[in-house]
Amino acid sequence: MTARTMSCPVLNNCPNPTGNIAHLGPAINNISSTVQTLISVITYLKWSSVCVVFDNATEHEAVDLQNSLSTIGIFAVLYRMEEVTSSQIDALSQNEPNRDPDRLNFTVLCRLSSCQSFLEKPFDFGRKNVWRNSLLYFSSWLVGIFDTGNLTILENNSSCAFDNIAIIKYPTIMLKSQQQRQAVKAAAHDCEWFPIQTLMWHKTGRGLLQIGFVHLNGSLIKIKDIFPNVRFGYNQRKILVSTLPWPPFVILDNKTKQYSGITIELLKELSNSLNFTYEIKPPPDGKWGVGSDNNTWNGMIGQLQRREIDMIAAPLGIQSHRETVMDFTHPYYYEFSAILMKKPNPNDTRWATLLDPFSPKVLMYIGISLPVVSLFLVAFEKYNPFYGYVQNRMKTRGLHHFSDSFWYMYGALLTQGGEHIARSSAGRTLLSFWWIFCIIMVATYSGNFVAFLTVSKTKLPFTNLEGLVAQSSYKWGTAGATIYETIFKNSELEERKELWRGIITFNATDPSILSSDPEVHITKVLKGEYAYVADKTFMDLVMTNNCDLAIATSDILPVQYAIGLPNNSPFVQMFSDEIIAILESGLIQIWMMQIWPRNGVCQKMSVTEAKTIELVDIQIAFYLIGLGVSLACLSLSYEFIRNKCCKWLRRSGRMQRRIPVQYMGTRPNIEDFFSSNSNDSPMNRAISQQIGNSWAHNRQTESNVATVSPRIDVYALDGLVE
């Protein structure tokens, strides 16, 4: 269509736009030109539903617009201006046929004076009602004003809070009947193009910006977006934010009262990308938030529940009980819980360094294996048919006696062996595998023992919640009115119930057990015999410059930090999308490196260095010498007492001495096992190769029986009879 320039008695200047037609509205018979232009804009915006609001002067046009929209399949509902109330808007949110109930589309037909007062506050959109407040951003207003006055009055009216307002100004004559309009148009050559303007936000208020033109026949020329404010997020609105210090996420400078930290950096980035300003309003009670029996919350969550604030920007953990009164965005940090405690004094357990390379269970199994395998060896050697032809074998010492077998096995653990050896295949097989076992144990122990002497390793009194509640030396606590109080109070797991019962008991005499200030808990931990259950990242930060603390990783739960918004907030998706973009950009890691200390004192001390072995490191070895001397003295006393008893029994005639007895000396009596007189026997040849030919020759002439000396040998006591 070619634009024409015409004179107009009603409007001072008729526009003569140039450009391509962006849209042509549907052709509908028997409708006014005003309705045709509005339908053209509505169909261009692709609205599927619209609320048509009118005043007393525009009722005819409003009814005509509703009927025409219904004809082309667009749902339209009519409201007089006085009928648009807060309750009616709430009802629209539930009955909205559109798939996106968070957005409402309005078409307002009115005179300039009535439009001015209506747009200031058509309904209550204060902070108390989240959804109605969101319509400041998510509603779209197409306003048809029938007036000859100047629209700059709307620019000066900065109290108009809605972002997306597009205005088409019609001459007052357009409110007349169709015949009157045709007569006036034929006589006065009325203008055919009407400008479309939008109210933009500026630093000083609102300003009108021309964005296109619409023709009486429905043709639309668009210069810019009809609702450009959509691209500018919150349009510099102020948001009230609540937070509490929790390093390294929220750090408060007590001198300047300024906040910093990872979460504050995230808040700044969100304010830049979503175009809002913020004011931090901490909770008056200084608590994070815990619910009562009637689901009334205190702290920051209580502020959000009462709509005193718009957002919580803190390391706030996502939890099901909290989600009953608030919404969470996509998590921006994944945290783990832990138990913080003071390290035990290493000198208290250093005396047992010799036992540290093996766990108590390993030492127990080694101790059990020694007598058990000794019994197996006794059985293999005592009942083996290999020794069946040896006479009086039970009167000789050897591995078929438990004491000899046990001391041999014990000597093998010390890589020394013993006096006797096994000659049967079964005994040798068992001993060979026992020696392999001993070599593995000795090698493992030696390597670990060197490591334990070089690097100090503190053994914690407990490593999880079960160990914490099972001991009685330590008290424990957690930050009150936090996610941990909520979890422990409502948990069905037995160890968490026991933990909460302990907290309640300790808190009865010491209210700081449930203090919301983490520094209070750190002070109690440093005093000793106190465990603090909280987030691991905060503990890592505390430990960078305090080497007396230790962490026991707990299996309480993984914690996800997120931004808190009011319940059923339509802004969750908007904030979540921005947080995901920030996570993908790696900004969280950059902020973490900027805030986290470079090298703490403990990090420098943790470098492995060779150290001098002190007496306290190996004092147990000297204890063992003393123990060995003591046991040997006891054994010697036993032998003296036994010898005295035997002499007394012989003098009293109650015990007789067996005259001849065969026994082994310090060396095995091998000739008792082989009685062959042939020098060329296979056994003689084997002995000659291993021991020497001279001994093999002399064994034939030596006596096979040794006479017992007048002194009764201890080994021959088995031969004494009453």
Side-chain angles (χ1 to χ4, degrees):
M1 177 181 293
T2 304
R4 295 179 298 147
T5 303
M6 300 180 179
S7 61
C8 181
V10 179
L11 300 176
N12 294 328
N13 295 309
C14 288
N16 187 18
T18 58
N20 298 324
I21 296 177
H23 178 71
L24 182 62
I28 303 176
N29 297 327
N30 300 323
I31 61 173
S32 65
S33 301
T34 305
V35 174
Q36 182 67 55
T37 56
L38 292 172
I39 290 178
S40 178
V41 176
I42 291 173
T43 54
Y44 172 77
L45 294 173
K46 298 180 180 180
W47 287 356
S48 60
S49 62
V50 60
C51 299
V52 180
V53 182
F54 60 92
D55 60 7
N56 295 328
T58 58
E59 181 177 1
H60 177 79
E61 281 72 14
V63 173
D64 196 6
L65 177 61
Q66 181 196 29
N67 295 332
S68 301
L69 290 174
S70 301
T71 302
I72 59 177
I74 298 177
F75 179 80
V77 58
L78 285 177
Y79 292 102
R80 292 184 180 274
M81 284 187 174
E82 55 270 17
E83 295 175 347
V84 180
T85 61
S86 299
S87 59
Q88 191 65 49
I89 294 298
D90 293 339
L92 284 176
S93 67
Q94 301 174 0
N95 302 323
E96 172 64 33
N98 192 2
R99 290 187 178 182
D100 187 5
D102 294 334
R103 288 189 174 273
L104 282 182
N105 303 316
F106 293 89
T107 298
V108 182
L109 304 178
C110 56
R111 300 293 295 266
L112 180 59
S113 57
S114 58
C115 275
Q116 179 183 357
S117 59
F118 177 76
L119 291 177
E120 286 183 4
K121 195 172 184 180
F123 47 82
D124 184 13
F125 46 77
R127 182 176 288 108
K128 296 292 183 180
N129 189 286
V130 178
W131 186 77
R132 290 202 301 268
N133 184 263
S134 70
L135 294 180
L136 296 175
Y137 322 93
F138 293 139
S139 63
S140 300
W141 300 77
L142 178 60
V143 182
I145 296 180
F146 298 85
D147 209 291
T148 57
N150 196 336
L151 294 182
T152 55
I153 190 175
L154 296 177
E155 293 181 309
N156 300 328
N157 184 15
S158 58
S159 61
C160 185
F162 294 92
D163 287 345
N164 306 310
I165 299 177
I167 300 173
I168 303 176
K169 181 182 177 183
Y170 300 101
T172 308
I173 194 175
M174 300 293 287
L175 290 175
K176 295 183 179 181
S177 63
Q178 182 71 18
Q179 293 78 7
Q180 291 175 325
R181 288 197 299 271
Q182 291 293 341
V184 173
K185 180 178 178 181
H189 305 286
D190 198 359
C191 297
E192 297 181 352
W193 289 95
F194 298 99
I196 306 174
Q197 302 179 79
T198 188
L199 276 174
M200 293 292 295
W201 282 107
H202 301 293
K203 293 182 179 180
T204 57
R206 307 298 291 265
L208 286 171
L209 175 67
Q210 189 164 291
I211 55 175
F213 298 89
V214 62
H215 195 270
L216 290 175
N217 64 2
S219 300
L220 179 66
I221 296 178
K222 183 175 73 73
I223 301 175
K224 298 180 180 179
D225 292 337
I226 293 181
F227 298 117
N229 286 325
V230 174
R231 302 195 310 268
F232 303 111
Y234 280 81
N235 290 285
Q236 286 294 301
R237 284 189 175 87
K238 179 184 289 187
I239 291 180
L240 296 182
V241 180
S242 183
T243 190
L244 280 175
W246 192 268
F249 298 95
V250 180
I251 303 171
L252 175 61
D253 190 330
N254 292 323
K255 294 182 179 179
T256 62
K257 301 301 180 181
Q258 296 296 317
Y259 289 90
S260 61
I262 298 172
T263 305
I264 300 302
E265 292 297 329
L266 175 65
L267 177 61
K268 293 178 181 178
E269 186 66 24
L270 290 173
S271 68
N272 292 332
S273 58
L274 296 179
N275 193 26
F276 65 84
T277 61
Y278 61 88
E279 177 185 347
I280 295 180
K281 184 181 179 182
D285 57 6
K287 296 181 179 180
W288 293 76
V290 64
S292 61
D293 295 337
N294 60 357
N295 208 28
T296 300
W297 293 66
N298 58 10
M300 291 188 296
I301 299 178
Q303 286 181 293
L304 201 61
Q305 185 184 33
R306 297 186 297 270
R307 304 294 189 266
E308 296 173 0
I309 57 172
D310 302 306
M311 179 194 304
I312 296 178
L316 193 68
I318 300 175
Q319 204 265 337
S320 58
H321 288 85
R322 291 176 170 179
E323 287 184 310
T324 61
V325 295
M326 62 179 296
D327 285 343
F328 289 96
T329 64
H330 186 279
Y332 64 87
Y333 194 83
Y334 295 86
E335 178 63 288
F336 295 92
S337 54
I339 304 174
L340 184 68
M341 72 192 79
K342 187 177 181 180
K343 292 180 181 178
N345 188 352
N347 292 330
D348 294 341
T349 57
R350 192 176 291 181
W351 64 270
T353 306
L354 253 62
L355 304 177
D356 289 340
F358 285 154
S359 67
K361 183 180 291 188
V362 173
L363 293 173
M364 180 185 70
Y365 279 113
I366 292 176
I368 294 175
S369 301
L370 181 59
V372 170
V373 179
S374 298
L375 285 174
F376 275 105
L377 182 60
V378 169
F380 293 161
E381 289 293 294
K382 186 175 183 179
Y383 302 106
N384 198 316
F386 178 80
Y387 303 103
Y389 56 85
V390 179
Q391 298 178 356
N392 299 322
R393 180 168 176 262
M394 294 307 297
K395 304 302 185 294
T396 63
R397 307 309 301 171
L399 298 180
H400 51 284
H401 291 286
F402 179 78
S403 61
D404 295 330
S405 176
F406 180 84
W407 286 111
Y408 182 90
M409 293 296 190
Y410 179 72
L413 277 176
L414 303 178
T415 65
Q416 294 300 316
E419 178 182 6
H420 308 285
I421 61 173
R423 293 172 177 82
S424 65
S425 298
R428 291 183 176 184
T429 301
L430 179 62
L431 286 180
S432 63
F433 281 93
W434 177 255
W435 271 102
I436 294 175
F437 168 80
C438 292
I439 291 172
I440 294 174
M441 292 296 104
V442 171
T444 305
Y445 178 85
S446 301
N448 282 353
F449 183 60
V450 172
F452 272 90
L453 289 178
T454 305
V455 180
S456 299
K457 184 177 180 181
T458 304
K459 184 178 180 181
L460 301 179
F462 45 83
T463 58
N464 52 29
L465 283 183
E466 290 82 354
L468 175 60
V469 298
Q471 54 81 44
S472 58
S473 301
Y474 281 71
K475 293 183 179 181
W476 58 83
T478 188
T482 63
I483 187 173
Y484 293 101
E485 179 176 340
T486 304
I487 290 174
F488 296 149
K489 184 187 297 183
N490 299 282
S491 177
E492 295 298 328
L493 298 179
E494 187 58 37
E495 65 272 10
R496 296 183 184 177
K497 288 183 178 180
E498 186 65 27
L499 188 80
W500 179 246
R501 285 193 289 267
I503 290 175
I504 295 299
T505 302
F506 302 145
N507 192 67
T509 56
D510 184 4
S512 62
I513 293 292
L514 279 176
S515 173
S516 298
D517 187 359
E519 296 298 332
V520 174
H521 294 277
I522 298 303
T523 303
K524 293 178 69 67
V525 170
L526 291 174
K527 291 179 180 179
E529 296 185 348
Y530 180 79
Y532 176 43
V533 182
D535 302 336
K536 184 176 181 296
T537 301
F538 173 73
M539 297 180 182
D540 290 335
L541 185 63
V542 173
M543 289 178 59
T544 53
N545 294 311
N546 198 319
C547 307
D548 294 331
L549 301 179
I551 286 180
T553 303
S554 174
D555 57 351
I556 300 174
L557 81 163
V559 182
Q560 299 177 356
Y561 292 158
I563 298 295
L565 295 173
N567 207 19
N568 301 319
S569 173
F571 301 108
V572 173
Q573 190 61 46
M574 178 191 299
F575 278 90
S576 295
D577 292 342
E578 291 297 327
I579 290 174
I580 292 174
I582 291 172
L583 290 174
E584 292 175 348
S585 66
L587 286 175
I588 296 290
Q589 287 73 20
I590 295 175
W591 298 331
M592 179 71 78
M593 290 187 294
Q594 291 174 349
I595 296 172
W596 202 266
R598 293 292 185 269
N599 289 313
V601 176
C602 295
Q603 291 175 333
K604 296 178 181 178
M605 294 177 61
S606 63
V607 179
T608 302
E609 296 178 354
K611 69 171 187 176
T612 303
I613 304 302
E614 302 291 344
L615 178 61
V616 69
D617 295 321
I618 56 174
Q619 57 181 318
I620 191 174
F622 296 94
Y623 297 157
L624 291 176
I625 293 177
L627 179 62
V629 172
S630 301
L631 292 177
C633 291
L634 290 175
S635 177
L636 180 61
S637 301
Y638 169 76
E639 291 176 356
F640 273 112
I641 294 173
R642 185 176 184 182
N643 188 41
K644 292 290 185 182
C645 291
C646 291
K647 287 182 179 181
W648 180 79
L649 290 174
R650 285 197 302 272
R651 286 197 298 268
S652 62
R654 297 183 182 183
M655 178 178 289
Q656 295 180 358
R657 183 174 57 183
R658 186 177 179 180
I659 303 302
V661 63
Q662 187 175 0
Y663 76 103
M664 279 189 174
T666 59
R667 141 182 106 172
N669 197 357
I670 302 176
E671 58 268 26
D672 290 340
F673 294 93
F674 312 103
S675 58
S676 175
N677 294 324
S678 173
N679 292 330
D680 296 330
S681 65
M683 185 56 64
N684 277 345
R685 289 198 299 272
I687 294 174
S688 298
Q689 293 176 1
Q690 297 182 22
I691 303 176
N693 292 328
S694 60
W695 186 91
H697 175 73
N698 293 335
R699 64 176 288 274
Q700 300 177 2
T701 61
E702 291 180 352
S703 174
N704 293 331
V705 180
T707 303
V708 181
S709 62
R711 178 180 61 85
I712 297 178
D713 192 277
V714 175
Y715 294 152
L717 289 178
D718 292 338
L720 298 176
V721 295
E722 294 186 4

